[in-house]
Amino acid sequence: MKLNVFIVDDEVMYSKMLSYIFNSKEEYNLHVFANGQDCIANLALNPDVILLDYSLPDVSGEIVLQQIKQFNKDIFVIVISGSVDKNTPKNMLKMGAFDFISKDLNTKYRILNIVNLQKEVLVLRQEKEILLKKLKE
């Protein structure tokens, strides 16, 4: 199973770093967007995971998260930010983000671990659906 991953970040070097991590594995379909509007406009590509920068040039991460959750509440969103006030992570988690991560040198490893765990969850869900269909036959 290939995981459909969106990277939404206006920092070119950070996007490239994340892209490198995910492109080094063939188990991901990767889409990179430099702003929130492009992410929202492409939700029909049905991402499994969205790595969302909180501070985007065109729209706030809160608005993008809200639009994502309106489109599909099951999309797994990890919000990433370089600097925010202490209430922002709590608010984003209440809005439906899976996690809120501060950008630092170890962020890429944490993100990769979280995304790999989500992939396992999705595989288990697919297997469950297959087994339920077989039971009903």
Side-chain angles (χ1 to χ4, degrees), residues 126-137:
Q126 281 183 339
E127 290 174 357
K128 175 185 165 189
E129 292 299 318
I130 291 168
L131 291 172
L132 286 172
K133 284 181 184 178
K134 287 183 180 181
L135 283 173
K136 290 180 182 179
E137 292 176 354

Side-chain angles (χ1 to χ4, degrees), residues 2-3 23 44-45 60 74 95 102 108 118 122 128:
K2 277 196 164 194
L3 209 62
N23 278 332
L45 295 173
S60 76
D74 294 328
M95 290 177 62
S102 295
K108 60 186 175 187
Q118 177 60 6
L122 290 173
K128 175 185 165 189

Side-chain angles (χ1 to χ4, degrees), residues 41-55:
N42 284 283
L43 288 173
L45 295 173
N46 294 316
D48 298 301
V49 176
I50 298 178
L51 307 174
L52 174 63
D53 184 15
Y54 180 77
S55 301

Side-chain angles (χ1 to χ4, degrees), residues 12-26:
V12 175
M13 290 307 294
Y14 199 79
S15 291
K16 284 184 178 184
M17 182 266 301
L18 289 175
S19 296
Y20 177 77
I21 291 169
F22 289 101
N23 278 332
S24 64
K25 301 176 182 272
E26 293 183 14

Side-chain angles (χ1 to χ4, degrees), residues 99-102 106-115:
D99 204 350
F100 190 100
I101 300 173
S102 295
N106 296 316
T107 302
K108 60 186 175 187
Y109 302 111
R110 187 168 175 197
I111 290 170
L112 191 56
N113 284 337
I114 293 170
V115 171

